[in-house]
Structures are given as C-alpha cells and as structure tokens.
C-alpha cells in the first residue's frame, strides 16, 4: 500500500478497524500468540484486506507504533501551544509515563521488534526526541530550566523508564524518576 494514494472511506474504516484491534491485542499482551490471519477475523475484515494493508505482522505493529508516536507528538505540540513552557514539559513527561503504563503490551511487543532493527522504530524515536527537544528548548528560552541539560538526557531517562516497565513498583518509581528529572532541569535560584 502506498502512502501517495488516499484510501476510499470503506478501505480507511477497515484499516482503522485492523489498527484498533491490533492495539487491543498489544495491550492484552498476546500479539505474538495469535496467528497473523486471526487479526482479520478479530477486526471483522477479510484476510485479503489484512494483507493488502499490512503484508506482515511487523508491518501491522509498525503502523500501530507510528500512530502512537503521532499521538504523542501531537500531544507535545498541543501542550507547548497552551501551557507555559516548563509546565508543558512536565505535563508531557508525566503523560509519557501514563502512556507507557497504559500500553505495557505495546512496549513488550516493540522491544521484541527492535531486535529486527526496524527503521520505523528509529524514525519514531527521532520524532519523539524532536518533540522533547522542542519542549526543552522552549523551557530553556523562557529561563525556567538549565541551559546545560540536553533533550537527549531527558530522552535517556524516558528510555530507562520504558525499559524497566517490568519492575515491581514500576509506576511509583517511574513517577519518582520524572520528579527527579524535573528537579534536575530546574534552573537554580540566582
């Protein structure tokens, strides 16, 4: 399927049904337990439709991932447009923890797919890093955070939080790491 040709309304609905079902299966944590053809039946579409939109399991997973990244990047832009810079950054970082917590199955599936060296995952990582860079830059420009901490350091903290999602007490510790990161970003009093 090419990105150049817009989908008919019925094809778009079927594609969205497949993506929605895949998200549900991710969140249930059994993406790899199902035969690939099962996604078509679960989404109420034919197997030809499944393969036309997503020729492989990895293509389906990557499409879900692209959608999640787009949602997160849109959220970052919305926060940056509506909140003071430091508050937008803090809200976004906390919402990332919420997102990771709500989509643990997706995180496990993506970790498995990362072993394949997917370019989509790298592309998504760059898009998220750009969103964080924009938030950090805005907060730096308004003088609320330090000049000597990069967005890359903030991304490393987010990656660490995501990688540790199987730890007991993960949510409390993840919230604590975000609190630590935000405290570390704050500009010291003059």
């Amino acid at each position: 399927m090419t990105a150049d040709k817009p989908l008919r309304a019925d094809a778009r609905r079927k594609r969205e049904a497949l993506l929605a079902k895949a998200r549900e299966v991710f969140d249930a944590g059994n993406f790899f337990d199902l035969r690939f053809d099962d996604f078509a039946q679960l989404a109420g579409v034919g197997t030809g439709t499944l393969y036309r939109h997503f020729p492989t399991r990895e293509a389906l997973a990557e499409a879900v991932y692209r959608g999640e990244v787009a949602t997160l990047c849109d959220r970052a832009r919305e926060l940056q447009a509506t909140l003071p810079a430091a508050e937008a950054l803090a809200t976004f970082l906390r919402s990332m923890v919420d997102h990771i917590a709500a989509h643990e199955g997706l995180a496990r599936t993506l970790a498995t797919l990362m072993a394949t060296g997917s370019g989509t995952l790298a592309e998504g990582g760059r898009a998220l890093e750009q969103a964080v860079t924009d938030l950090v830059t805005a907060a730096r420009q308004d003088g609320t955070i330090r000049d000597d901490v990069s967005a890359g350091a903030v991304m490393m903290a987010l990656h660490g939080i995501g990688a540790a999602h199987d730890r007991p007490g993960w949510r409390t510790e993840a919230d604590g790491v975000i609190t630590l990161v935000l405290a570390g970003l704050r500009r010291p009093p003059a």
Side-chain angles (χ1 to χ4, degrees):
M1 185 180 86
T2 65
D4 304 327
K5 185 178 175 185
L7 295 174
R8 294 183 331 258
D10 63 328
R12 189 173 47 250
R13 275 192 306 277
K14 289 175 182 179
R15 184 177 194 282
E16 289 304 314
L18 285 162
L19 289 170
K21 187 51 67 178
R23 280 186 203 98
E24 282 179 35
V25 171
F26 276 138
D27 290 340
N30 59 356
F31 183 75
F32 292 107
D33 296 339
L34 295 174
R35 290 180 322 115
F36 186 54
D37 290 358
D38 292 341
F39 285 96
Q41 181 182 1
L42 291 170
V45 302
T47 55
T49 299
L50 169 65
Y51 284 96
R52 192 168 28 262
H53 291 287
F54 307 106
T56 65
R57 178 184 300 272
E58 290 75 17
L60 178 59
E62 288 176 358
V64 170
Y65 175 68
R66 277 192 298 275
E68 296 299 314
V69 168
T71 297
L72 291 168
C73 291
D74 289 347
R75 175 81 171 131
R77 284 187 287 277
E78 172 193 321
L79 292 170
Q80 191 171 0
T82 59
L83 295 175
E87 188 179 343
L89 176 61
T91 301
F92 182 75
L93 294 179
R94 294 200 186 282
S95 71
M96 283 293 298
V97 172
D98 292 340
H99 186 82
I100 293 167
H103 301 285
E104 289 180 37
L106 176 60
R108 278 191 287 282
T109 302
L110 291 174
T112 302
L113 291 174
M114 281 183 179
T116 67
S118 168
T120 300
L121 297 178
E123 179 184 313
R126 285 189 297 275
L128 278 174
E129 184 157 358
Q130 185 59 57
V132 170
T133 297
D134 293 346
L135 290 165
V136 166
T137 299
R140 189 179 294 135
Q141 287 173 345
D142 82 357
T144 54
I145 69 167
R146 298 167 30 179
D147 291 330
D148 62 340
V149 180
S150 70
V154 175
M155 286 301 294
M156 284 182 72
L158 289 173
H159 285 295
I161 288 169
H165 72 273
D166 287 332
R167 286 178 53 85
W170 172 87
R171 181 55 195 252
T172 301
E173 290 177 346
D175 289 334
V177 170
I178 294 299
T179 298
L180 246 153
V181 167
L182 292 170
L185 286 172
R186 237 178 261 121
R187 184 178 293 280

